[in-house]
Amino acid sequence: MCGIVGYVGERNAAPIIVEGLKCLEYRGYDSFGLAVADGTATDGGGKLTVVKKQGRISDAGSDVSLACGNIGIGHTRWATHGVPSDVNAHPHTDCTGDIAVVHNGIIENYAELKKTLIAEGHVFKSETDTEVIAHLLEKFRNAAAEKGLSGIEKVDFAVKNLMDTLEGSFALLILIRGFNGLIAIKRFSPLVLGIGDDELFASSDMTPILEHTQKILFLEDNDYAYLMPDGIRLFGYPSAKTVERDVKTVDWDVESAKKGGYEYFMEKEIFEQPAVFVNSFRQKIDDGAVSVLKKASSITVVACGSSYHAGLIFRYLMEKYCKIPVRVEIASEFLNFTTAKGTVVIAVTQSGETADTLAALRHAKANGCPVFAVTNVLGSSVTRIADYVLYTRAGPEISVAATKSFIAQCAVLLRIVSIIGKGIFEKELFEIYPVLEETLLFDPADASAVCKDAENIFYVGRGVYYPISLEGALKMKEITYIHAEGCAAGELKHGPFSLLTPKTPVVAVCTKDDAYPVMISNIKEMKARGAPVIAIGSGGDADLKEIADIFIPLPRSKNICEVISATIILQMIAYNTAVLLGRDVDKPRNLAKSVTVI
Ligand code: F6R
């Protein structure tokens, strides 16, 4: 996730872009940059100035005062391809320096495109996926010129060919020296336009725009627009025909706009999960990493908290479907143990900075094990220790409680299972998006009404739903401060049963998988001790509905998709309960987002 912003008008663009980027820093903040054009020039003339740096826009100081002109674009980055650095910061330019591009999203076919462009003589400066866009535009503009096209026709030709060529997700803002306007393109990444008095704005969300105008135009996927001093020209791809979009008057304040209208970041992050899962699962894993994983005689995962639970989910699936032994260790305990040479060790860490996880990975490396990192933060400390790094594509997570980063970890770990398991789950998980969208329609009110008055809540499941129960309980306890405990359903009768009363709700995850019959018996045993049961199960399961006090049906889908849906349902119940209790959801007491001390 990155933030992009653009301006066309009569004012100097740079200060407006800088203030806009400050509003978007929650989308990423490892580097920033802007390009400003003097819009008075005609084709072939004018000046285009680019300023970009590693660091936060708030530290930009006088660097940006060099950029003068009334058309501008800017970017605040959350690195996905190429470490945070001056050269990898956006905007990216073509060989001539006449085209500047800022991008939010991922170009999935960038590696092939880059190879071809280099073979055709283009010179690349950065490691990013975005830079191919600038060079492609250069190539298509040259092709247009050879056909005798000029002015707007040349731009049309280049944009149409660009959209034909790019695969993946992108919101783009493009400046071309001498083109008296800016180009905005949207496909599967957010982009909105703002319409002021004699000025136009573009941005990843409306936060930078609201201080200038409340009139917002929401672009749809495959829309592209030319923002010119005399107005917006809006087209649909591939028809290249003019399209009409409603302009809405939005009266949100900037803070609620940052949260996309959601009350807390946690809620927003929960709702981002369909796209986060798909982006994280669909990525290509480096051949070298795949070959090491394929040769592994055993795998050990080291992690803390939610990341540890993601490791446990991986264990169940890897052992069942790939028959590779997997150990999962709490990172802070790992130094007590030995690891056989030849074992591949994977650190799972959202932040890439958790001190215990780093220490565990160093320990494994010192023992001669090949070490991997699954992390959300490019260039984080763990990436410097690991031999191989697999990135989750969650974007920055603001809320302390992990939601979308956890789902992204599950996606990357499932990708490994799928690769080692010769394509198992690939089809189901490539097509999971609508299932997760449907999951988000769940209304947690009834379940939360029961949970909010409890002092203790049990979460139970079998197989892969055991770690999911641990994660559900962790979410509940950390943001509501209600004691919640995750248990393997079969373990309850070995002790915790003595705690069950009509005042201890049990959240049971019981889909129609191999463990279903025995889970049903376990649920009946809990009911017999008087505990109210909130059961999450497969859609249409009349038997479970009959037994449970509250039955939450999952969208009808394949077993593997239910694993992800059930996790989201548990997050939604915890979130809603915390809101009912008036908790500070995004910043629960005593907790920090990144635990950098042992
Ligand atoms: C729980 C949560 C924590 C983290 C843990 C590890 O919601 O966020 O349990 O999962 O602190 O952090 P990372 O993944 O950054 O190593």
Side-chain angles (χ1 to χ4, degrees):
M1 203 156 93
C2 301
I4 61 175
V5 64
Y7 173 80
V8 176
E10 288 167 4
R11 293 190 275 166
N12 191 14
I16 297 168
I17 300 288
V18 168
E19 287 313 305
L21 292 179
K22 285 182 187 164
C23 293
L24 293 178
E25 269 201 313
Y26 78 95
R27 300 178 63 86
Y29 42 74
D30 61 46
S31 35
F32 69 90
L34 64 161
V36 174
D38 170 359
T40 55
T42 50
D43 206 3
K47 194 169 72 149
L48 195 150
T49 314
V50 175
V51 179
K52 54 186 203 164
K53 277 189 94 144
Q54 183 177 353
R56 301 184 79 132
I57 185 71
S58 36
D59 303 327
S62 59
D63 288 326
V64 292
S65 59
L66 295 171
C68 273
N70 52 353
I71 302 178
I73 56 177
H75 186 272
T76 181
R77 182 166 187 245
W78 179 260
T80 57
H81 295 76
V83 293
S85 68
D86 290 359
V87 77
N88 286 333
H90 297 215
H92 290 287
T93 48
D94 65 328
C95 298
T96 63
D98 284 351
I99 300 167
V101 179
V102 292
H103 167 215
N104 167 216
I106 293 169
I107 305 302
E108 287 171 4
N109 57 339
Y110 89 98
E112 302 95 273
L113 293 172
K114 187 168 176 175
K115 221 159 134 194
T116 311
L117 287 161
I118 289 173
E120 289 168 2
H122 291 262
V123 178
F124 279 72
K125 299 173 276 292
S126 77
E127 303 158 87
T128 64
D129 54 339
T130 304
E131 196 180 338
V132 296
I133 299 168
H135 292 282
L136 282 172
L137 283 167
E138 178 188 1
K139 169 176 164 167
F140 296 137
R141 274 170 49 84
N142 287 341
E146 276 168 25
K147 286 178 184 295
L149 301 174
S150 64
I152 198 83
E153 288 186 329
K154 194 165 148 188
V155 175
D156 279 340
F157 181 88
V159 168
K160 160 90 177 45
N161 279 280
L162 182 75
M163 292 181 80
D164 284 344
T165 309
L166 295 180
E167 287 169 17
S169 59
F170 43 90
L172 301 173
L173 295 176
I174 301 161
L175 280 190
I176 301 177
R177 191 167 71 93
F179 177 66
N180 195 15
L182 71 82
I183 302 161
I185 305 179
K186 169 177 161 51
R187 184 183 289 166
F188 308 141
S189 288
L191 190 58
V192 299
L193 305 182
I195 302 167
D197 295 334
D198 300 324
E199 54 188 4
L200 298 168
F201 304 84
S203 173
S204 302
D205 70 30
M206 59 185 104
T207 47
I209 300 176
L210 288 177
E211 117 178 42
H212 306 284
T213 176
Q214 292 184 327
K215 285 193 205 155
I216 305 288
L217 186 154
F218 294 86
L219 292 176
E220 292 185 9
D221 286 327
N222 285 316
D223 283 354
Y224 63 97
Y226 303 146
L227 279 62
M228 317 288 282
D230 61 353
I232 298 175
R233 285 160 221 184
L234 185 55
F235 306 94
Y237 168 88
S239 70
K241 296 227 168 74
T242 304
V243 288
E244 301 278 334
R245 303 283 175 236
D246 290 346
V247 176
K248 300 206 166 74
T249 302
V250 176
D251 57 4
W252 288 357
D253 61 31
V254 169
E255 269 320 295
S256 45
K258 262 189 201 173
K259 292 176 195 148
Y262 295 105
E263 202 174 342
Y264 290 97
F265 278 108
M266 181 173 174
E267 188 185 20
K268 178 169 185 272
E269 288 161 1
I270 288 173
F271 277 77
E272 284 169 13
Q273 292 180 118
V276 164
F277 185 93
V278 171
N279 281 336
S280 301
F281 183 77
R282 285 178 67 116
Q283 65 183 301
K284 184 170 173 351
I285 296 185
D286 174 77
D287 290 344
V290 169
S291 108
V292 174
L293 287 166
K294 280 189 170 160
K295 277 189 233 137
S297 52
S298 66
I299 297 176
T300 295
V301 175
V302 289
C304 304
S306 293
S307 301
Y308 169 73
H309 299 153
L312 289 173
I313 293 171
F314 174 67
R315 175 184 187 193
Y316 276 92
L317 298 170
M318 197 73 178
E319 296 240 5
K320 180 165 181 185
Y321 295 101
C322 305
K323 311 288 177 226
I324 294 186
V326 178
R327 224 172 101 191
V328 187
E329 297 295 347
I330 292 174
S332 56
E333 293 297 316
F334 184 64
L335 303 196
N336 297 307
F337 306 127
T338 52
T339 305
K341 271 209 171 95
T343 296
V344 168
V345 176
I346 306 179
V348 181
T349 166
Q350 184 282 130
S351 60
E353 303 295 346
T354 301
D356 285 320
T357 307
L358 297 181
L361 202 63
R362 284 194 195 99
H363 177 66
K365 200 169 181 177
N367 279 344
C369 301
V371 292
F372 279 63
V374 173
T375 185
N376 197 34
V377 184
L378 214 124
S380 56
S381 302
V382 80
T383 66
R384 293 193 288 274
I385 302 169
D387 302 314
Y388 301 95
V389 183
L390 312 182
Y391 286 104
T392 52
R393 305 283 187 216
E397 193 172 58
I398 309 287
S399 182
V400 164
T403 53
K404 63 173 179 170
S405 64
F406 176 77
I407 286 294
Q409 289 168 347
C410 293
V412 170
L413 294 170
L414 271 162
R415 184 73 175 159
I416 298 177
V417 175
S418 164
I419 288 170
I420 310 289
K422 301 195 174 68
I424 186 159
F425 304 139
E426 194 169 279
K427 185 169 179 317
E428 296 89 317
L429 293 174
F430 263 66
E431 290 167 5
I432 199 174
Y433 189 92
V435 177
L436 301 188
E437 287 272 281
E438 193 184 333
T439 307
L440 292 169
L441 298 175
F442 164 62
D443 178 357
D446 291 348
S448 300
V450 172
C451 293
K452 82 171 194 336
D453 296 324
E455 283 181 14
N456 300 288
I457 306 174
F458 283 99
Y459 283 71
V460 297
R462 279 179 175 263
V464 71
Y465 291 109
Y466 164 48
I468 284 172
S469 300
L470 293 176
E471 177 60 10
L474 177 60
K475 282 305 82 112
M476 182 60 86
K477 73 180 111 180
E478 71 175 324
I479 60 169
T480 66
Y481 318 148
I482 296 170
H483 172 244
E485 203 173 314
C487 272
E491 268 296 290
L492 229 56
K493 53 170 101 56
H494 299 286
F497 250 20
S498 64
L499 294 170
L500 292 187
T501 72
K503 289 191 174 159
T504 47
V506 176
V507 180
V509 193
C510 173
T511 65
K512 288 204 164 170
D513 62 7
D514 302 346
Y516 180 76
V518 65
M519 256 313 276
I520 291 284
S521 307
N522 292 153
I523 292 172
K524 285 183 180 160
E525 289 156 9
M526 292 164 214
K527 286 281 307 173
R529 271 81 189 164
V533 171
I534 300 168
I536 300 169
S538 302
D541 184 346
D543 294 339
L544 186 58
K545 187 172 179 197
E546 181 68 29
I547 304 165
D549 296 272
I550 295 175
F551 172 58
I552 301 170
L554 297 169
R556 287 172 194 257
S557 63
K558 296 281 192 282
N559 282 353
I560 192 66
C561 300
E562 289 184 326
V563 170
I564 306 301
S565 291
T567 309
I568 295 176
I569 298 286
L570 294 177
Q571 295 168 346
M572 291 172 85
I573 296 173
Y575 169 78
N576 201 54
T577 309
V579 172
L580 289 178
L581 291 170
R583 304 296 187 229
D584 188 355
V585 177
D586 286 335
K587 295 192 188 88
R589 68 186 180 203
N590 306 335
L591 295 176
K593 184 75 190 154
S594 176
V595 184
T596 54
V597 287
I598 291 194

